[in-house]
Amino acid sequence: MDLNDEGSHFELKEIQTLSGHTDRVWSLAWNPATGTDDTQPVIASCSGDKTVRIWERSALTRSWDCKAVLEETHTRTVRSCTWSPSGKLLATASFDATTAIWENVGGDFQCVSTLEGHENEVKSVSWNASESLLATCSRDKTVWIWEVMPGNEFECASVLQGHTQDVKMVKWHPTMDILFSCSYDNTIKVWAEDDTGDWHCIQTIVSGHSSTVWAISFNAEGNKMVTCSDDLTLKVWEADIEGMRSGDDQVLWKHISTLTGYHDRTIFSVHWSREGIIASGAADDAIRFFVESKDSAVVGPSYRLLLKKEKAHDMDVNVVQWSPGENRVLASASDDGTIKIWELATNST
Amino acid sequence: MTLGLINANPIVHAKKERVARCEDSHCYFVRDIRDPEHPYSLEQLSVLSEESISVDDKLGRILITFTPTIQHCSMATVIGLCLRVKLQECFPPHYKVDIKVSPGSHADEEAVNKQLNDKERIAAALENPNLRQLVDECLYSNEL
């Protein structure tokens, strides 16, 4: 396969630039239910302009258009957005301390619920795989878990304390109800529910990163995760997935690799593709790709740089996200106010 | 503004003679930023000097170091915000700005530097109307 062939040449082809936001774009999310055989891909993006935009690629022209602007709801920067696994709901997290839930009602996006409780800016929101739980995190140092009830009602199930600083991102494990959070306090925390239904921290990774951890991403199998940080490194962690599945609380995530020397400014985003390619977006305006390297000289897995796309944007890259539907298609967003759609292609030289 | 100043008696220096030099013009923009607590500029309080700013036009990077008037200055983050906003006005948007307190000048040097350069925290702070007003007062108050 070309990823294992170190002689293969890759290039990142720009498919389209999506403009419209009037301030930096902080994050974006591909609708997981779209982009397959008979549905056109849809992306939600959120910005410092306080709005969320919905973009869809036209079946006819194959060009992306902005289908909706969700405004007049959040009163401050919208920092993060994420679709529910079924693609029916969109959750948006804002500096206004609220999380809004949107539903597509006949082409019109309506805010069907507003989650309040955090004391200040909400930074991230994540749905679990079965869509029964939502997690949010904030500069108030807490992580909240919400239960999804019938009729678009959300009930706070737990307020998790433990981080000593601003929590930057929350992410549910792809298959299990285990929650991960990363923070300005340089740690990553793992949270799980015990037999009595109480959520608690089952692991705190403290001696990993030496500065703010900005993002977490899991591989397809869910037995590895990659984190990115202000300390200019990516770190890869592994856990015994079978142990986790059998409900063993003692299963710990262990460090297996650090990718260092590749980035010279803060790495804001990292995303692991189904195929195993790790994409990173950083404050040097570049997007980088890494794959596992079959280097027999090194004990344990190692990763090599597949490609560095310099000047992917004119300013900091805040987010990179692989398309769930199409192979090797990536979306990125930046402080320059744009979203770009890319295709990672091989050069047949 | 705050009641009870953090540093009620700063040492004030005379304003330097202005020599017009093109390449230093950006320095003057930031030197005249008013200190959050006193009706003096950051230059007069020796918070900033010519040596404090280095610009790499090729890479589009700026590094500013400043010296808070006292070791436990909690106004350091406000000064940092003022510097950042001012630089955003003076330089093209793609320039990357790093702001630090000069080594040894603050008790919590590492913690302050981290906060001064967390893009998300800066964005949120500038959305806070009270903080924004304070920054605006420091930047746009009348010629001293």
Side-chain angles (χ1 to χ4, degrees):
Chain A
M1 195 189 24
D2 57 358
L3 294 179
N4 289 330
D5 174 9
E6 304 212 2
S8 284
H9 294 285
F10 285 85
E11 61 168 325
L12 191 64
K13 287 183 171 158
E14 190 175 321
I15 307 293
Q16 194 177 342
T17 296
L18 277 42
S19 303
H21 278 297
T22 56
D23 200 307
R24 62 172 28 129
V25 184
W26 279 109
S27 194
L28 63 84
W30 294 83
N31 185 317
T34 66
T36 49
D37 314 309
D38 51 351
T39 60
Q40 291 308 306
V42 169
I43 284 175
S45 63
C46 57
S47 165
D49 66 13
K50 308 175 198 170
T51 73
V52 174
R53 278 178 179 251
I54 311 295
W55 312 82
E56 192 176 324
R57 194 181 70 197
S58 153
L60 200 63
T61 65
R62 301 280 292 184
S63 174
W64 288 83
D65 306 301
C66 181
K67 303 305 272 185
V69 180
L70 313 185
E71 51 196 347
E72 324 257 287
T73 295
H74 285 301
T75 55
R76 286 182 58 178
T77 285
V78 188
R79 177 63 182 88
S80 161
C81 56
T82 181
W83 299 91
S84 62
S86 65
K88 296 201 180 87
L89 298 174
L90 177 71
T92 59
S94 169
F95 283 359
D96 66 12
T98 72
T99 304
I101 311 294
W102 306 79
E103 195 175 349
N104 187 346
V105 182
D108 213 13
F109 279 85
Q110 288 173 17
C111 176
V112 296
S113 192
T114 302
L115 277 43
E116 291 172 357
H118 279 296
E119 282 171 26
N120 48 50
E121 301 93 60
V122 189
K123 304 294 178 89
S124 172
V125 56
S126 177
W127 299 87
N128 71 340
S130 62
E131 219 160 308
S132 61
L133 300 168
L134 193 67
T136 58
C137 66
S138 159
R139 179 168 63 87
D140 68 10
K141 306 173 198 161
T142 67
V143 171
W144 287 48
I145 294 184
W146 308 79
E147 261 165 38
V148 186
M149 318 285 281
N152 292 322
E153 291 289 313
F154 293 79
E155 213 172 82
C156 174
S158 194
V159 174
L160 306 174
Q161 297 180 318
H163 278 297
T164 56
Q165 296 272 8
D166 184 11
V167 189
K168 299 298 196 185
M169 188 193 210
V170 277
K171 194 102 176 95
W172 286 98
H173 185 271
T175 55
M176 290 179 274
D177 284 347
I178 300 177
L179 183 66
F180 294 74
S181 60
C182 60
S183 164
Y184 184 104
D185 69 12
N186 309 351
T187 73
I188 299 144
K189 280 180 177 285
V190 187
W191 313 84
E193 204 177 4
D194 61 26
D195 300 324
T196 64
D198 285 329
W199 287 88
H200 58 279
C201 180
I202 60 172
Q203 186 182 358
T204 300
I205 300 174
V206 292
S207 48
H209 288 290
S210 55
S211 191
T212 301
V213 187
W214 282 98
I216 301 167
S217 178
F218 293 91
N219 66 347
E221 300 95 283
N223 67 333
K224 290 196 178 98
M225 70 176 173
V226 59
T227 54
C228 64
S229 167
D230 180 61
D231 70 6
L232 314 182
T233 72
L234 295 179
K235 284 179 184 282
V236 185
W237 314 82
E238 186 178 53
D240 167 24
I241 190 107
E242 284 314 315
M244 287 194 291
R245 252 183 231 131
S246 56
D248 181 359
D249 248 22
Q250 302 308 309
V251 170
L252 295 176
W253 287 81
K254 296 190 174 76
H255 171 261
I256 59 170
S257 187
T258 293
L259 282 65
T260 188
Y262 297 101
H263 299 81
D264 66 344
R265 290 192 74 83
T266 305
I267 312 159
F268 288 116
S269 176
V270 68
H271 198 215
W272 211 327
S273 79
R274 283 178 325 280
E275 213 188 348
I277 308 172
I278 295 172
S280 75
D284 64 352
D285 313 344
I287 296 173
R288 291 169 177 79
F289 299 91
F290 301 88
V291 287
E292 201 169 315
S293 164
K294 311 293 175 198
D295 185 349
S296 53
V298 176
V299 175
S302 69
Y303 294 81
R304 65 181 179 91
L305 178 72
L306 191 72
L307 175 68
K308 174 186 177 186
K309 178 73 176 182
E310 280 180 20
K311 295 253 135 269
H313 282 274
D314 295 334
M315 293 170 76
D316 291 10
V317 180
N318 294 321
V319 64
V320 286
Q321 286 284 297
W322 291 101
S323 160
E326 287 164 294
N327 215 20
R328 300 195 185 171
V329 169
L330 184 89
S332 63
S334 163
D335 278 355
D336 66 15
T338 70
I339 294 147
K340 289 193 182 189
I341 313 294
W342 311 86
E343 190 188 322
L344 183 65
T346 38
N347 254 337
S348 38
T349 36
Chain B
M1 274 285 276
T2 51
L3 311 167
L5 299 177
I6 305 234
N7 182 12
N9 299 301
I11 298 167
V12 183
H13 303 267
K15 261 179 152 177
K16 283 204 178 118
E17 186 66 38
R18 289 289 141 90
V19 177
R21 275 183 293 177
C22 301
E23 66 271 22
D24 282 345
S25 59
H26 51 256
C27 298
Y28 298 121
F29 292 132
V30 292
R31 278 155 142 182
D32 283 338
I33 295 173
R34 211 199 72 181
D35 180 89
E37 290 193 311
H38 306 281
Y40 296 108
S41 74
L42 295 180
E43 182 195 18
Q44 288 175 303
L45 295 174
S46 286
V47 174
L48 274 182
S49 69
E50 235 174 85
E51 299 78 46
S52 318
I53 302 159
S54 60
V55 180
D56 182 332
D57 287 303
K58 194 161 155 256
L59 281 179
R61 309 260 164 112
I62 302 164
L63 173 63
I64 273 207
T65 52
F66 70 96
T67 309
T69 49
I70 54 167
Q71 282 276 335
H72 293 89
C73 181
S74 62
M75 282 292 142
T77 45
V78 178
I79 294 171
L81 275 178
C82 292
L83 289 168
R84 206 170 273 281
V85 173
K86 193 67 189 182
L87 288 170
Q88 261 162 30
E89 287 174 10
C90 302
F91 285 89
H94 67 274
Y95 272 70
K96 309 224 181 257
V97 179
D98 290 314
I99 302 177
K100 303 198 165 164
V101 291
S102 39
S105 68
H106 195 284
D108 285 318
E109 188 176 321
E110 219 180 284
V112 171
N113 285 341
K114 192 173 178 180
Q115 208 178 343
L116 290 175
N117 296 286
D118 181 312
K119 184 173 81 174
E120 193 186 64
R121 294 285 281 266
I122 292 160
L126 291 173
E127 282 186 356
N128 175 324
N130 295 328
L131 210 40
R132 189 76 218 215
Q133 192 187 352
L134 180 54
V135 167
D136 289 346
E137 279 171 19
C138 294
L139 294 181
Y140 307 118
S141 56
N142 296 328
E143 191 60 54
L144 303 170

